[in-house]
Amino acid sequence: MTTDDLTPGGPLVALDGVSKSYGSVLALRDVSLEVHAGEITCVLGDNGAGKSTLIKIIAGLHPHDAGRYTVAGEEVRHTSPRQALDRGIATVYQDLAVVPLMPVWRNFFLGSEPTRGRGPLRRLDTAAMRATTHQALLGMGIDLRDVDQPIGTLSGGERQCVAIARAVHFGAKVLVLDEPTAALGVKQSGVVLKYVAAARDAGLGVVLITHNPHHAYLVGDRFVLLKRGAMSGSHLRKDITLDELTREMAGGSELDELTHELSRRTP
């Protein structure tokens, strides 16, 4: 990992030589990355590259077996997502874990609902939740028609944006996004990337997991490439072009060999 940081101060989150095994299967081997405030670190790789395992380690779902995992310079070993969340690390998974029939405001506060009154008169403060949800979304540039509509009626891109705004509102310092554009079309992907950039501009450190180098290069400051559980590259944006990033992710010499094999032979 280069020491030519883009931002002053140490990283919010850093992995140094982290590895993870499941029985005899080595899922992640000697992976390092840094996440800085106001920057986006993109982790790229195809299926089976180790991206899911990396997410689980950062999010606290699974502890790492070797290497160092530090948060704000303090070495940690998370054994639950709550520990990571308490340190300001919020993870937005691809399936989003929303309740489709509940309104947007209810999903926004799911698990963190404010109440009013005491004892038997205690009840959810629905007015405050509606108003806060609307303002928090507006603060991210998201102007929904109605926060009372079921979140299942929103497009995939809009649901991703609500999840990002929720993480920002509840004080996340590091936002981990699991393939947020994987199931979206071009227009919706652009909308989501716009709000990923808004989270960065709000001062968060963002980890963007993706298999799309074009999406990564639109917003990324740092790029970590994974292949079969190991790092195949680590670059700052200023040190690599989109074509180079795409070629490296595609396999470089392996792609040349495949191109040669598939080229039409002339008589």
Coordinates of all heavy atoms in Angstrom, one line a residue, residues 222-267:
R222 N -9.3 5.5 -4.6 CA -8.4 4.3 -4.4 C -9.0 3.1 -5.0 O -10.3 2.9 -4.9 CB -8.0 4.1 -2.9 CG -7.4 5.3 -2.2 CD -7.3 5.1 -0.7 NE -6.8 6.3 -0.1 CZ -5.5 6.5 0.2 NH1 -4.6 5.6 -0.1 NH2 -5.1 7.6 0.8
F223 N -8.2 2.2 -5.5 CA -8.7 1.0 -6.1 C -7.9 -0.2 -5.6 O -6.7 -0.2 -5.7 CB -8.6 1.1 -7.6 CG -9.3 2.3 -8.2 CD1 -8.5 3.4 -8.6 CD2 -10.7 2.3 -8.4 CE1 -9.1 4.5 -9.1 CE2 -11.3 3.5 -8.9 CZ -10.5 4.6 -9.3
V224 N -8.7 -1.2 -5.1 CA -8.0 -2.4 -4.7 C -8.7 -3.6 -5.5 O -9.9 -3.7 -5.5 CB -8.3 -2.7 -3.2 CG1 -7.8 -4.1 -2.8 CG2 -7.6 -1.6 -2.3
L225 N -7.9 -4.3 -6.2 CA -8.4 -5.4 -7.0 C -8.1 -6.7 -6.4 O -7.0 -7.0 -5.9 CB -7.7 -5.4 -8.4 CG -8.1 -4.1 -9.3 CD1 -7.1 -3.0 -9.1 CD2 -8.3 -4.5 -10.7
L226 N -9.2 -7.6 -6.3 CA -9.0 -8.9 -5.7 C -9.2 -10.0 -6.8 O -10.0 -9.8 -7.8 CB -10.1 -9.1 -4.7 CG -10.1 -8.2 -3.4 CD1 -11.2 -8.6 -2.5 CD2 -8.7 -8.3 -2.7
K227 N -8.5 -11.0 -6.7 CA -8.6 -12.2 -7.6 C -8.3 -13.5 -6.8 O -7.3 -13.6 -6.2 CB -7.6 -12.1 -8.7 CG -7.7 -13.2 -9.8 CD -6.8 -13.0 -10.9 CE -6.9 -14.1 -12.0 NZ -5.9 -13.9 -13.1
R228 N -9.4 -14.3 -6.7 CA -9.2 -15.6 -6.0 C -8.8 -15.4 -4.6 O -7.9 -16.1 -4.1 CB -8.3 -16.5 -6.8 CG -8.9 -16.9 -8.1 CD -7.9 -17.7 -8.9 NE -8.3 -17.9 -10.3 CZ -7.6 -18.5 -11.3 NH1 -6.3 -18.8 -11.0 NH2 -8.0 -18.6 -12.5
G229 N -9.3 -14.4 -3.9 CA -9.0 -14.2 -2.5 C -7.7 -13.4 -2.2 O -7.5 -13.1 -1.0
A230 N -7.0 -13.0 -3.2 CA -5.7 -12.3 -3.0 C -5.8 -11.0 -3.8 O -6.5 -10.8 -4.7 CB -4.5 -13.1 -3.4
M231 N -4.9 -10.0 -3.3 CA -4.8 -8.8 -4.1 C -4.1 -8.9 -5.4 O -3.0 -9.5 -5.4 CB -4.1 -7.7 -3.2 CG -4.9 -7.3 -2.0 SD -3.9 -6.2 -0.9 CE -3.7 -4.8 -2.1
S232 N -4.6 -8.4 -6.4 CA -3.9 -8.4 -7.7 C -3.5 -7.0 -8.1 O -2.9 -6.8 -9.1 CB -4.8 -9.0 -8.8 OG -6.0 -8.2 -9.0
G233 N -3.9 -6.0 -7.3 CA -3.5 -4.6 -7.5 C -4.0 -3.7 -6.5 O -5.0 -3.9 -5.9
S234 N -3.3 -2.5 -6.3 CA -3.7 -1.5 -5.4 C -3.2 -0.2 -6.0 O -2.0 0.0 -6.2 CB -3.2 -1.7 -4.0 OG -3.6 -0.7 -3.1
H235 N -4.1 0.8 -6.3 CA -3.7 2.0 -7.0 C -4.5 3.2 -6.4 O -5.6 3.1 -6.0 CB -4.0 1.9 -8.5 CG -3.5 0.6 -9.1 ND1 -2.2 0.5 -9.5 CD2 -4.1 -0.6 -9.4 CE1 -2.0 -0.7 -10.0 NE2 -3.1 -1.4 -10.0
L236 N -3.8 4.4 -6.5 CA -4.5 5.7 -6.4 C -5.0 6.1 -7.7 O -4.5 5.7 -8.8 CB -3.5 6.7 -5.9 CG -2.9 6.5 -4.4 CD1 -2.0 7.6 -4.1 CD2 -4.0 6.4 -3.4
R237 N -6.0 6.9 -7.7 CA -6.7 7.3 -9.0 C -5.7 8.0 -9.9 O -5.7 7.7 -11.2 CB -7.8 8.2 -8.7 CG -8.6 8.7 -10.0 CD -9.6 9.7 -9.7 NE -10.3 10.1 -10.9 CZ -11.4 9.5 -11.4 NH1 -11.9 8.5 -10.7 NH2 -12.0 9.9 -12.5
K238 N -4.8 8.8 -9.4 CA -3.8 9.5 -10.2 C -2.8 8.6 -10.9 O -2.1 9.0 -11.8 CB -3.1 10.6 -9.4 CG -2.2 10.0 -8.3 CD -1.5 11.1 -7.5 CE -0.6 10.6 -6.4 NZ 0.5 9.9 -7.0
D239 N -2.7 7.4 -10.4 CA -1.7 6.5 -10.9 C -2.2 5.5 -12.0 O -1.4 4.6 -12.5 CB -1.0 5.7 -9.8 CG -0.3 6.6 -8.8 OD1 0.2 7.6 -9.3 OD2 -0.3 6.3 -7.6
I240 N -3.5 5.5 -12.3 CA -4.0 4.5 -13.2 C -5.2 5.1 -14.0 O -5.9 6.0 -13.5 CB -4.6 3.3 -12.4 CG1 -4.8 2.1 -13.3 CG2 -5.8 3.6 -11.6 CD1 -5.1 0.8 -12.6
T241 N -5.3 4.7 -15.3 CA -6.4 5.2 -16.1 C -7.5 4.1 -16.1 O -7.3 3.0 -15.6 CB -5.9 5.3 -17.6 OG1 -5.5 4.0 -18.1 CG2 -4.7 6.3 -17.7
L242 N -8.7 4.5 -16.6 CA -9.8 3.6 -16.7 C -9.4 2.4 -17.5 O -9.8 1.3 -17.2 CB -11.0 4.3 -17.3 CG -12.2 3.4 -17.5 CD1 -12.7 2.7 -16.3 CD2 -13.4 4.3 -18.1
D243 N -8.8 2.6 -18.7 CA -8.4 1.5 -19.5 C -7.5 0.5 -18.8 O -7.6 -0.7 -18.9 CB -7.8 2.0 -20.8 CG -8.7 2.6 -21.8 OD1 -10.0 2.4 -21.6 OD2 -8.3 3.4 -22.7
E244 N -6.5 1.1 -18.1 CA -5.6 0.2 -17.3 C -6.3 -0.5 -16.2 O -6.0 -1.7 -16.0 CB -4.5 1.1 -16.7 CG -3.5 1.7 -17.8 CD -2.6 2.7 -17.2 OE1 -2.9 3.3 -16.1 OE2 -1.5 3.0 -17.9
L245 N -7.2 0.2 -15.5 CA -8.0 -0.5 -14.5 C -8.8 -1.6 -15.0 O -8.9 -2.7 -14.5 CB -8.9 0.5 -13.8 CG -9.7 0.0 -12.6 CD1 -8.8 -0.4 -11.4 CD2 -10.7 1.1 -12.1
T246 N -9.5 -1.4 -16.1 CA -10.3 -2.4 -16.8 C -9.5 -3.6 -17.2 O -9.9 -4.7 -17.0 CB -11.1 -1.8 -18.0 OG1 -11.9 -0.6 -17.5 CG2 -12.0 -2.8 -18.6
R247 N -8.4 -3.3 -17.8 CA -7.5 -4.3 -18.3 C -7.0 -5.2 -17.2 O -6.9 -6.4 -17.2 CB -6.3 -3.7 -19.1 CG -5.3 -4.7 -19.6 CD -4.2 -4.1 -20.4 NE -3.1 -5.0 -20.7 CZ -3.2 -5.9 -21.7 NH1 -4.3 -6.0 -22.4 NH2 -2.2 -6.7 -21.9
E248 N -6.6 -4.5 -16.1 CA -6.0 -5.2 -14.9 C -7.1 -6.1 -14.3 O -6.8 -7.3 -13.9 CB -5.4 -4.3 -13.9 CG -4.7 -5.0 -12.8 CD -3.9 -4.0 -11.9 OE1 -3.4 -3.0 -12.5 OE2 -3.7 -4.3 -10.7
M249 N -8.3 -5.6 -14.2 CA -9.4 -6.4 -13.6 C -9.7 -7.6 -14.5 O -10.1 -8.7 -14.1 CB -10.6 -5.5 -13.4 CG -11.7 -6.3 -12.7 SD -13.2 -5.3 -12.4 CE -14.3 -6.5 -11.9
A250 N -9.7 -7.4 -15.8 CA -10.0 -8.4 -16.8 C -8.9 -9.5 -16.9 O -9.2 -10.6 -17.5 CB -10.2 -7.8 -18.2
G251 N -7.8 -9.3 -16.3 CA -6.8 -10.3 -16.3 C -5.5 -10.0 -17.1 O -4.6 -10.9 -17.1
G252 N -5.4 -8.9 -17.8 CA -4.2 -8.5 -18.5 C -3.8 -9.6 -19.5 O -4.4 -9.7 -20.6
S253 N -2.7 -10.3 -19.2 CA -2.1 -11.2 -20.2 C -3.1 -12.4 -20.4 O -3.2 -12.9 -21.5 CB -0.8 -11.8 -19.6 OG -1.1 -12.4 -18.3
E254 N -4.0 -12.7 -19.4 CA -5.0 -13.8 -19.6 C -6.0 -13.3 -20.7 O -6.4 -14.1 -21.5 CB -5.7 -14.1 -18.3 CG -4.8 -14.7 -17.3 CD -5.5 -15.0 -16.0 OE1 -6.8 -14.9 -16.0 OE2 -4.9 -15.3 -15.0
L255 N -6.3 -12.0 -20.7 CA -7.2 -11.5 -21.7 C -6.6 -11.5 -23.0 O -7.3 -11.8 -24.0 CB -7.6 -10.0 -21.3 CG -8.6 -9.3 -22.2 CD1 -10.0 -10.1 -22.2 CD2 -8.9 -7.9 -21.8
D256 N -5.3 -11.2 -23.1 CA -4.6 -11.2 -24.4 C -4.6 -12.7 -25.0 O -4.9 -12.9 -26.2 CB -3.2 -10.8 -24.3 CG -3.1 -9.3 -24.1 OD1 -4.1 -8.6 -24.4 OD2 -2.0 -8.8 -23.5
E257 N -4.4 -13.6 -24.1 CA -4.4 -15.0 -24.5 C -5.8 -15.5 -25.0 O -5.9 -16.1 -26.1 CB -3.9 -15.9 -23.4 CG -3.8 -17.4 -23.8 CD -3.3 -18.2 -22.6 OE1 -2.8 -17.6 -21.6 OE2 -3.5 -19.4 -22.7
L258 N -6.8 -15.0 -24.3 CA -8.2 -15.4 -24.7 C -8.5 -14.7 -26.0 O -9.2 -15.3 -26.9 CB -9.2 -14.9 -23.6 CG -10.6 -15.2 -23.9 CD1 -10.9 -16.7 -24.0 CD2 -11.5 -14.6 -22.8
T259 N -8.1 -13.4 -26.2 CA -8.4 -12.7 -27.4 C -7.8 -13.4 -28.6 O -8.4 -13.6 -29.7 CB -7.9 -11.3 -27.3 OG1 -8.5 -10.6 -26.2 CG2 -8.2 -10.5 -28.6
H260 N -6.5 -13.9 -28.4 CA -5.8 -14.6 -29.5 C -6.6 -15.9 -29.8 O -6.7 -16.3 -31.0 CB -4.4 -14.9 -29.0 CG -3.6 -15.7 -30.0 ND1 -3.2 -15.2 -31.2 CD2 -3.2 -17.0 -30.0 CE1 -2.5 -16.1 -31.9 NE2 -2.5 -17.3 -31.2
E261 N -7.0 -16.6 -28.7 CA -7.7 -17.9 -29.0 C -9.0 -17.7 -29.7 O -9.4 -18.6 -30.5 CB -7.9 -18.6 -27.6 CG -6.7 -19.1 -27.0 CD -7.0 -19.8 -25.6 OE1 -8.2 -19.8 -25.2 OE2 -6.0 -20.2 -25.0
L262 N -9.7 -16.6 -29.4 CA -11.0 -16.4 -30.0 C -11.0 -15.6 -31.3 O -12.0 -15.5 -32.0 CB -11.9 -15.6 -29.0 CG -12.2 -16.3 -27.7 CD1 -13.1 -15.4 -26.8 CD2 -12.9 -17.6 -27.9
S263 N -9.8 -15.1 -31.7 CA -9.8 -14.4 -32.9 C -10.0 -15.2 -34.1 O -9.7 -16.4 -34.2 CB -8.4 -13.7 -33.1 OG -7.4 -14.7 -33.1
R264 N -10.7 -14.7 -35.1 CA -11.1 -15.4 -36.3 C -9.8 -15.7 -37.1 O -9.0 -14.8 -37.4 CB -12.0 -14.6 -37.2 CG -12.5 -15.4 -38.4 CD -13.3 -14.4 -39.3 NE -14.5 -14.0 -38.6 CZ -15.7 -14.7 -38.5 NH1 -15.8 -15.8 -39.2 NH2 -16.7 -14.2 -37.9
R265 N -9.6 -17.0 -37.4 CA -8.4 -17.3 -38.2 C -8.7 -17.2 -39.7 O -9.7 -17.6 -40.2 CB -8.1 -18.8 -37.9 CG -7.7 -19.1 -36.5 CD -7.2 -20.5 -36.3 NE -6.8 -20.7 -34.9 CZ -6.3 -21.9 -34.5 NH1 -6.2 -22.9 -35.3 NH2 -6.0 -22.0 -33.2
T266 N -7.8 -16.5 -40.3 CA -7.9 -16.3 -41.8 C -7.2 -17.4 -42.5 O -6.2 -18.0 -42.1 CB -7.2 -15.0 -42.2 OG1 -5.9 -15.0 -41.8 CG2 -7.9 -13.8 -41.5
P267 N -7.8 -17.9 -43.7 CA -7.2 -19.0 -44.4 C -5.9 -18.6 -45.0 O -5.6 -17.5 -45.3 CB -8.3 -19.3 -45.5 CG -9.1 -18.0 -45.6 CD -9.1 -17.4 -44.3

